[in-house]
Amino acid sequence: MRKTALLCRASLIASAFVGFTAMPAHAQDAADTAEAESGEIIVTARRREETLVDVPIAITALSGDQLANQGAIDITALAEQVPNVTLEASRGTNSTLSAFIRGIGQQDPVSGFEQGVGIYLDDVYLNRPQAAVLDIYDVERIEVLRGPQGSLYGRNTVGGAVKYVTKRLPNDFRLQLRGTYGSYNQLDGVVTASAPLDSAGVVRVGGSFARLTRDGFGTNLTTGAENYDKNVYAARGTIEVHGTDFFARLSGDWVHDKSSARGGHRLIPSLLSAAPVLSNVYDTRGGLTTPAQDVEGWGVSLFLEAKPSEALTFRSITSYREDDSATPIDFDALPAVDVDVPGYYINNQFSQEVQLLVDSGRFHGLVGFYYLKASALTQFDVRLWNNAVFPGLTAFTEADIGTETAAGFADMTFDITDQLSLSLGGRYTWDERSGRILRQNYLGGSPAFGGTATLFGTPSTNFRGKADFTKFTPKATLSFQPNGDTTIYASYSQGFKGGGFDPRGVGTSAPTTNVSGIPSDAEVAAFLTFRPEKVNSYEIGYKANLFDRRVYLAAAGFYMDYTDVQIPGSVACTSKVVVAGVVTQVPTFCGVVSNAGKARMQGFELETRAKLVDTDSGTLTLSGSLGYIDAKFTKYVTNIAGTPTDVAANRKIQNTPAWSGNVALDYTMALGEGKLSLGGGMSFKSKTYQFEVPNPYIDQPAYQLFDASVVYHAPNRAWSLGVYGKNLTNERYKTSGYTFMAANAITGAVTQPFVAALGREGVLTAFYGNPRQVYVTATVNF
């Protein structure tokens, strides 16, 4: 009912504008025209259309055609091409995104923790990472902006932003059928259609439906279910109004991921049952099957743009989104209920943004206002049923975190001369976070997950509270264009990530002055609250089209000062509960979040695309990127035996390899009346630390991935046929993991012989990237 009501309201708004705008339609939007004429991708990194060379930001943009020719499947494929970027499916999931840019990000999907990289779908910010691993279809381009984007994009774009831009509808009937078959019985189908509803093309409708399936790379040897399989339904629908000086788009999207739960691979034999390490890294033994893995998300948005004059543009972006996830996470990856965590994630958000753009002579400006109201509910059990002292022990957590934020922003560019420009921008944000956190122990499964267990003691956390944060984030850029094909720039920018409450925090563990040992409400609030984090970034860059535009070159160097770093984590611990009037220490799983860190990141990025050969017989193109980042903590305070201790020398920036890059060759030639493209490439990353504490078992050494493709396009792009190979050397590489093993508190070195810190079997499990895949894709256009 709620979906229907929202769609009806949005439809009425769009219909109202149809009546006012029954004017001749544009034959083609400006972005399409510019790209067709210049051969360059037009981007909107500064909320206005510019070429890659002109925009003074470190940005990578890949067009839909480029992504299709490479056989890119989902948004994580960009991490192989964009320097200093990590994009991957989060631990134990297929569709929750972990994103890092220049050392800043977030891999913990629990409510209360904010992202460090903003993900945008058609200019709508996705507030939560669930269902954010977007499959690539019906896409115009994807932009990756590196560095803080606080002035134009706001909170939680501390590391950067990823913008997924879908295609606008053409002014004629289009029908596209795309099918893929490949390794592991991959079978994908996408149908896309659009048509104008009137002879002038003022009103246009279109939609896409995708069915994406694949067998698992491995098997759950306990349940018999597939592991690392894919079973996704997705759809998008659009109604557009194209007026002479007006454009409106009402769009909706839906995804339902019914893939099996992704189980981890144990890296050590189990300590209690002595189960050996499995030979296939994609196999698992986890016995947790409830709740059934299920992820569903949907959203609607209304984009309005009016141009009352050549100098003025008004925009409005309205959106509502929600997603629900159920997931059984078996930390120990064994049949026994040793460390099992069934969980629910339920999120919704409403956002409204308005913009006024001015483009008059030497002045280009934008002012706007943004509002977001969001709710994120997380529920999970931590089942430690193997516990020798408290058999059947379950720690239940329910964290309901609300966000209400508003911001005013402006960005002004003045062309001092024909070659020199100064841009000044800023954003003031009001941020209110509310939290309701309950942690309660049971003997047996909690009622939230169908259990009939009885309460065990008093709650270890029963918190309600609010916190307000405000922040001004400025940006300044000086750019120089010695000619129309070169930009040199220097910039300063600031970003911040919102504060909040630790959703896994154990309130009774708060420091207290009470003689009873039970902290007061104020002490619990102070213990669970963490502050926003901030980054100051300094960047210089050079971009150019060289040698009669045969070579594109972009270089950037940056220095980032990162303060009040939020370091979320979870560790084995004990919580104080009152059982029969007696304060009792109960083993459990605790959140540990603090603003304990300061960090410094510095490095550079190079990107190029060069036509080495360009003749009537064919074109040979070399493309590549190289990223280097020297990222380290300068302060990392943790509590060791009751004493605050700086362990920065023994901590690493997670998910941030020092070196990353790629190189690729593509040869395109005429074949018959069509075009044949042959491509091959290699991407690489140096050693990657999965967490701040180094761990030789789950950290990933340096590795390379090799890909290749052969694609034929028929005349007038009537059809195409492509063969793609990914990870051709069948490299096994870890993308994430879990560890709950006893370790040295300062160095992080895992205790030998192994000692379990949580549960009795020992938790040291890893998740891996995709193995070698070969697939064929056929596309037909009508």
Side-chain angles (χ1 to χ4, degrees), residues 73 75 121-122 131 133-140 142 164-167 169 178 190-193 205-210 212 233-239 249-255 299 321:
I73 295 175
I75 200 171
L121 175 59
D122 286 332
V133 178
L134 302 172
D135 288 289
I136 293 175
Y137 67 96
D138 197 29
V139 63
E140 176 71 28
I142 299 179
Y164 187 109
V165 183
T166 60
K167 295 178 179 178
L169 302 179
R178 191 184 86 192
V190 180
V191 179
T192 301
V205 296
S208 297
F209 178 79
L212 313 171
Y233 298 82
R236 295 195 185 111
T238 303
I239 302 173
R249 173 195 258 188
L250 173 64
S251 60
D253 64 275
W254 167 80
V255 62
R321 304 193 62 82

Side-chain angles (χ1 to χ4, degrees), residues 468-541:
D468 295 315
F469 308 100
T470 58
K471 182 64 181 174
F472 176 71
T473 49
K475 182 169 185 175
T477 303
L478 186 67
S479 58
F480 176 67
Q481 291 187 306
N483 56 63
D485 285 327
T486 304
T487 297
I488 303 168
Y489 69 90
S491 68
Y492 163 77
S493 60
Q494 190 177 98
F496 92 108
K497 184 163 71 173
F501 310 103
D502 183 356
R504 288 187 295 245
V506 175
T508 56
S509 298
T512 181
T513 58
N514 292 341
V515 293
S516 66
I518 302 299
S520 67
D521 291 345
E523 290 170 327
V524 170
F527 179 67
L528 297 179
T529 302
F530 53 88
R531 300 185 304 277
E533 60 184 28
K534 182 182 73 173
V535 64
N536 289 301
S537 176
Y538 308 85
E539 180 173 316
I540 56 173

